Amino acid sequence: MAERRARTRWIAGVDIGGTNLRVGLVPFAGGPPVAVSSAPTRPARGPSAVVEEVASMLRAAIAEVGRTNVAGVGIGAPGPLDRSRGVVLETPNLGWRDVPLVDMIAGRIGLPIVLDNDANCFAFGEWWLGAGRGAERLIGMTLGTGIGGGIILGGAPYRGASDAAGEVGHMSVDYSGRRCACGSRGCVEAYASGSAIAARAAEGIARGANSTLAAAAGDPAGITAEAVCRAAAAGDRYAMLIVDETARVIGVAVSDLIHLLNPDVIVIGGGVAGAGELLFAPLRDEVEQRAFRSAARACRIVPSELPATAGLVGAAGVFRHTVHGNV
């Protein structure tokens, strides 16, 4: 195994999320990642500490195959970004502003680096090696600490005029609705992100909702999206209502995306997608009720095939696409 790795050309992929950091090596020709590691992001410690942890994880992964066998590094990070300068301009879920991420990591690693939005990387990973392999028009949605989106058209990420395309989490489903961390109101993220699901559940329990989740309500960290989904799977009616409402909010956004881009595939991943059919069944039902029938039938709405690694796989793929023009 070690000898085969030493003969293979690799690209390092990095996925910087609001909750976790993931690093791994992806074969240049495509294939399952190796030397995968993860660590909590802990954004409160500041960007320098997070960057040092990422660099340490990269050094450990690269040591497994030899530095000369690694073509470069692809990084997926929350945006908005300035890709040309390698700068994270602003990201509410990390609290970063104007962070020169590429320069900071390049100074520690000394390899070529390409930066892209983390949700673009998720979408590209699923298009390259996951649930949307070969699709002409793909949209990826990540339901985690926040909600991200990426668009792949004709085998390339669509980034828009200022690298801000695909911010599906900040499409509004209620113009006077819940306040979002971005400063706007009614964003999908304000209802269907992991933190929003937990907040909505806690608010209902505070108003007297009957739920097994009430036992955890005394601890602010006790109610999580994962706990809500577990309770729903176990038959808790209130938790089932929260998951159903979440699915229908996402279904409204997905219907809008179908009307806008008429995609072949929409791939949904992230921790919240782990609810499975409790989420996907009402989501698809909402789309069926709202979207043009011909467009809805042409679009597969599927869970991620690379739930833990799509981001880092896609980051590696974006490096190859950017530097070498293809995957």
Side-chain angles (χ1 to χ4, degrees), residues 54 182 198 227 271-272 298:
V54 169
C182 75
V272 175

Side-chain angles (χ1 to χ4, degrees), residues 19-181:
T19 302
N20 292 302
L21 310 170
R22 289 190 174 89
V23 170
L25 300 174
V26 180
F28 193 91
V34 303
V36 175
S37 63
S38 65
T41 306
R42 295 181 289 158
R45 55 188 169 152
S48 292
V50 174
V51 165
E52 186 53 51
E53 178 126 37
V54 169
S56 176
M57 295 165 74
L58 277 169
R59 285 190 288 264
I62 292 167
E64 292 198 24
V65 300
R67 182 184 182 82
T68 58
N69 294 317
V70 179
V73 181
I75 301 175
L81 311 171
D82 182 334
R83 292 178 59 252
S84 64
R85 295 191 299 128
V87 174
V88 177
L89 297 175
E90 182 178 7
T91 175
N93 292 320
L94 292 178
W96 291 4
R97 185 183 293 273
D98 297 326
V99 175
L101 185 62
V102 167
D103 284 349
M104 292 172 74
I105 293 180
R108 292 165 166 85
I109 299 299
L111 286 169
I113 295 177
V114 168
L115 174 67
D116 207 338
N117 180 274
D118 58 345
N120 285 349
C121 292
F122 166 82
F124 200 80
E126 290 291 343
W127 172 84
W128 186 23
L129 299 174
R133 284 185 294 276
E136 184 67 21
R137 297 155 292 264
L138 177 145
I139 299 173
M141 292 183 69
T142 58
L143 312 178
T145 307
I147 292 183
I151 301 168
I152 309 300
L153 299 178
Y158 176 74
R159 301 184 178 94
S162 64
D163 290 335
E167 288 286 357
V168 300
H170 300 290
M171 295 166 52
S172 181
V173 292
D174 182 350
Y175 74 91
S176 61
R178 296 176 69 92
R179 179 72 71 180
C180 181

Side-chain angles (χ1 to χ4, degrees), residues 14 33 54 83 121-122 128 134 144 193 206 210 245 276 278 305 318 325-326:
V14 178
V54 169
R83 292 178 59 252
C121 292
F122 166 82
W128 186 23
S193 67
N210 182 25
E245 289 176 344
L278 281 172
E305 284 186 9
V318 167
N326 59 67

